[in-house]
Amino acid sequence: MNISIGGKCIIGTNFRMNNRESSNPIGRFHACSIVVGKKGMLTIGSNVGMSSAAIVCQDSIEIGDYVNIGGNVVIYDTNFHSLDSLKRLNRESDVEHTKTTPIKIGNNVFIGAHSTILKGVTIGDNVVIGACSLVSKDIPSNEIWG
């Protein structure tokens, strides 16, 4: 976990994080990574589990209760860099023009292995996201998407 000064991280009860290859033998193994920037607010509900996943929060990520985050899932509320090629030529300009937008993941959500959740997404309650999915828009409650 890497929480910058000014960043906030709240984690509910019964949080589980698998960081061993033997507990997650799906391939492309790496340890879990949680990064919260100086303006970030990460909230993880109760009874949440993740395996070999990465969460990067520069703005706001809210994860509900009873969420399963599959192996090698990544959740990013930022583009990391400006989308303007000229602004990327200068580090300060690149950082200044990087876009961030909050993510909200509802309760009782299952995110399949190797999926990517991008900035600005809201995922409703009871959603299942199929393995290897790229989620770039909102998903209503009680749906299966892949």
Side-chain angles (χ1 to χ4, degrees):
M1 291 187 82
N2 181 342
I3 302 171
S4 297
I5 294 173
K8 294 182 179 141
C9 180
I10 299 169
I11 299 176
T13 59
N14 201 30
F15 176 67
R16 299 165 323 279
M17 181 187 294
N18 289 329
N19 283 309
R20 293 185 317 267
E21 189 169 4
S22 62
S23 65
N24 184 28
I26 64 172
R28 295 187 285 195
F29 173 77
H30 60 85
C32 291
S33 173
I34 295 176
V35 176
V36 180
K38 62 185 176 184
K39 296 179 182 176
M41 176 64 180
L42 173 62
T43 305
I44 299 175
S46 295
N47 303 297
V48 172
M50 60 190 270
S51 296
S52 302
I55 298 172
V56 177
C57 176
Q58 298 296 328
D59 185 353
S60 173
I61 297 176
E62 182 180 335
I63 298 171
D65 298 330
Y66 296 96
V67 174
N68 290 313
I69 300 170
N72 299 303
V73 166
V74 294
I75 301 172
Y76 305 139
D77 72 352
T78 176
N79 284 346
F80 293 98
H81 297 279
S82 173
L83 297 181
D84 184 324
S85 61
L86 296 177
K87 291 185 176 28
R88 286 194 310 269
L89 296 175
N90 174 285
R91 175 72 180 137
E92 289 178 17
S93 176
D94 187 22
V95 170
E96 180 183 338
H97 292 92
T98 299
K99 302 287 186 205
T100 63
T101 311
I103 293 173
K104 183 171 181 178
I105 298 172
N107 297 313
N108 198 33
V109 171
F110 180 85
I111 303 172
H114 310 291
S115 293
T116 299
I117 311 299
L118 295 178
K119 69 179 181 50
V121 167
T122 296
I123 298 171
D125 295 338
N126 309 309
V127 166
V128 174
I129 297 171
C132 300
S133 294
L134 173 65
V135 180
S136 60
K137 61 182 178 177
D138 294 350
I139 300 176
S141 293
N142 304 308
E143 293 195 4
I144 300 172
W145 280 39

